[in-house]
């Protein structure tokens, strides 16, 4: 079922992510590849969000479908989908992340179902073939220099009627606004509202990131893809970087998680949250 959404394409006049910034981002993820599937990149809150994408892909696409993973990280998603009966081409801009994925597939005896390629989201024109679905988890598309180009390439690679399932870092995260405002860090609280790429520190490196409202994000894809659904992720629950709060108040946060599950797809509420999970179908 399609949901109406006012279209507002991202404003490119505020600067695209440059080639030098892309290399900064690559170095940042290379630097954390050895331990990124540990607490740094896979704590309890991340695992909960990860499972929501898994289940959404499984609802949208039957087992046996061929999937393209944009920004595969260390391969946790690709391996899970292989276990669920999918074939996956796992891609990432970080060569170290791709190597971790390749090793994980071999160790899981799933190498026949998980192929890998060192490829950034800005390089999809180098791919050929046809996929049933394309997914991306935890914001690789926030690092794309040009979403409209990504959308065009996704449409080329996806069969008619195929699905996109993307987890994207959103603009409006109430937890983040409150967390930094209460500490008097008002400039940090407003980072997500910047219209230009923002430098996000990781492991003494920088990831260049742009943030989106759902309508801005879909606006870049609307020429090729109809909106099927979207929902908030980590709206009532704290974002993953506040996992220590979650651990101190786990029973309370579990109740917040149930609110996320129940209300995260409601109008207005679904426009907020640390991430949003959006499903689009090729026209």
């Amino acid at each position: 079922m399609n949901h109406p959404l006012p279209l507002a394409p991202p404003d490119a006049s505020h600067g695209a992510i440059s080639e030098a910034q892309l290399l900064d981002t690559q170095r940042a993820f290379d630097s954390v590849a050895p331990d990124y599937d540990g607490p740094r990149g896979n704590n309890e809150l991340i695992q909960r969000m990860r499972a929501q994408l898994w289940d959404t892909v499984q609802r949208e696409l039957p087992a046996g479908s061929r999937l393209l993973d944009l920004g595969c990280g260390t391969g946790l998603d690709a391996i899970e989908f292989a276990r669920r009966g999918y074939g996956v081409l796992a891609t990432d801009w970080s060569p170290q992340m791709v190597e971790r994925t390749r090793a994980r597939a071999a160790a899981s005896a799933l190498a026949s179902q998980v192929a890998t390629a060192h490829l950034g989201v800005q390089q999809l024109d180098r791919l050929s073939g046809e996929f049933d679905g394309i997914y991306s988890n935890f914001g690789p598309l926030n690092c794309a220099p040009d979403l409209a180009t990504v959308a065009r390439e996704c449409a080329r690679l996806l069969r008619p009627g195929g699905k996109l399932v993307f987890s994207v870092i959103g603009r409006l995260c109430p937890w983040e606004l409150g967390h930094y405002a209460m500490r008097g860090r008002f400039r940090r609280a407003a980072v997500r509202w910047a219209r230009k790429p923002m430098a996000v520190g990781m492991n003494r490196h920088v990831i260049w990131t742009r943030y989106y409202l759902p309508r801005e994000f879909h606006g870049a894809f609307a020429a090729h893809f109809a909106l099927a659904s979207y929902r908030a992720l980590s709206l009532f629950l704290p974002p993953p970087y506040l996992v220590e709060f979650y651990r101190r108040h786990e029973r309370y946060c579990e109740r917040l998680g149930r609110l996320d599950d129940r209300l995260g797809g409601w109008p207005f509420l679904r426009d907020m949250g640390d991430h949003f999970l959006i499903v689009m179908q090729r026209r």
Side-chain angles (χ1 to χ4, degrees), residues 119-238:
L119 195 80
V121 295
Q122 75 279 9
Q123 298 173 315
L124 294 179
D125 59 330
R126 302 184 183 184
L127 276 183
S128 59
E130 185 174 76
F131 296 87
D132 302 300
I134 303 174
Y135 69 89
S136 182
N137 212 355
F138 297 112
L141 293 173
N142 292 87
C143 302
D146 180 26
L147 276 184
T149 299
V150 174
R152 185 173 63 250
E153 292 300 323
C154 285
R156 179 181 63 83
L157 292 165
L158 206 60
R159 65 167 176 80
K163 300 290 183 64
L164 305 179
V165 182
F166 295 153
S167 171
V168 182
I169 308 171
R171 277 200 190 280
L172 182 53
C173 178
W175 269 94
E176 183 163 299
L177 288 169
H179 175 72
Y180 287 111
M182 287 175 61
R183 288 157 177 77
R185 298 179 62 186
F186 300 108
R187 184 174 296 180
R188 176 61 183 85
V191 157
R192 296 191 186 214
W193 290 97
R195 296 289 175 173
K196 63 182 181 180
M198 298 301 293
V200 178
M202 185 172 71
N203 202 32
R204 300 182 181 179
H205 293 271
V206 170
I207 301 168
W208 290 93
T209 306
R210 299 187 77 156
Y211 301 94
Y212 299 98
L213 292 169
R215 67 175 177 269
E216 293 175 317
F217 189 84
H218 178 242
F221 287 80
H224 309 284
F225 294 91
L227 179 67
S229 66
Y230 71 100
R231 63 173 295 114
L233 297 177
S234 281
L235 169 58
F236 296 99
L237 271 172

Side-chain angles (χ1 to χ4, degrees), residues 8-283:
D11 186 349
S13 65
H14 294 275
I17 295 173
S18 70
E19 191 166 331
Q21 291 169 338
L22 284 169
L23 290 173
D24 286 343
T25 299
Q26 183 184 76
R27 286 189 286 266
F29 281 106
D30 276 347
S31 77
V32 298
D35 65 350
Y36 199 63
D37 48 8
R40 184 195 299 274
N42 199 39
N43 64 45
E44 299 94 315
L45 293 169
I46 290 176
Q47 289 171 11
R48 196 179 196 281
M49 295 168 69
R50 193 183 295 281
Q52 288 176 291
L53 180 133
W54 292 347
D55 293 342
T56 300
V57 169
Q58 188 166 12
R59 283 195 302 271
E60 297 291 338
L61 294 158
S65 297
R66 188 175 185 224
L67 305 179
L68 174 61
D69 182 335
L70 303 182
C72 63
T74 62
L76 291 171
D77 298 324
I79 296 302
E80 178 63 23
F81 286 124
R83 288 187 179 126
R84 295 188 185 200
Y86 297 89
V88 183
L89 174 59
T91 67
D92 202 288
W93 179 226
S94 160
Q96 296 301 315
M97 290 291 192
V98 172
E99 185 54 41
R100 287 296 314 278
T101 299
R102 186 179 296 119
R104 185 183 297 280
S108 304
L110 292 167
S112 64
Q113 291 172 254
V114 179
T116 58
H118 173 215
L119 195 80
V121 295
Q122 75 279 9
Q123 298 173 315
L124 294 179
D125 59 330
R126 302 184 183 184
L127 276 183
S128 59
E130 185 174 76
F131 296 87
D132 302 300
I134 303 174
Y135 69 89
S136 182
N137 212 355
F138 297 112
L141 293 173
N142 292 87
C143 302
D146 180 26
L147 276 184
T149 299
V150 174
R152 185 173 63 250
E153 292 300 323
C154 285
R156 179 181 63 83
L157 292 165
L158 206 60
R159 65 167 176 80
K163 300 290 183 64
L164 305 179
V165 182
F166 295 153
S167 171
V168 182
I169 308 171
R171 277 200 190 280
L172 182 53
C173 178
W175 269 94
E176 183 163 299
L177 288 169
H179 175 72
Y180 287 111
M182 287 175 61
R183 288 157 177 77
R185 298 179 62 186
F186 300 108
R187 184 174 296 180
R188 176 61 183 85
V191 157
R192 296 191 186 214
W193 290 97
R195 296 289 175 173
K196 63 182 181 180
M198 298 301 293
V200 178
M202 185 172 71
N203 202 32
R204 300 182 181 179
H205 293 271
V206 170
I207 301 168
W208 290 93
T209 306
R210 299 187 77 156
Y211 301 94
Y212 299 98
L213 292 169
R215 67 175 177 269
E216 293 175 317
F217 189 84
H218 178 242
F221 287 80
H224 309 284
F225 294 91
L227 179 67
S229 66
Y230 71 100
R231 63 173 295 114
L233 297 177
S234 281
L235 169 58
F236 296 99
L237 271 172
Y241 60 83
L242 296 180
V243 68
E244 292 303 325
F245 177 90
Y246 169 86
R247 290 168 179 164
R248 290 194 303 270
H249 307 283
E250 188 169 349
R251 291 180 63 184
Y252 170 68
C253 285
E254 284 303 312
R255 290 196 289 272
L256 295 180
R258 289 192 286 273
L259 283 178
D260 265 359
D261 295 340
R262 186 182 309 167
L263 305 180
W266 283 24
F268 179 68
L269 293 179
R270 63 188 178 180
D271 292 299
M272 298 184 282
D274 183 56
H275 286 61
F276 56 88
L277 184 63
I278 188 167
V279 181
M280 295 177 279
Q281 183 168 13
R282 186 174 182 273
R283 297 183 189 278

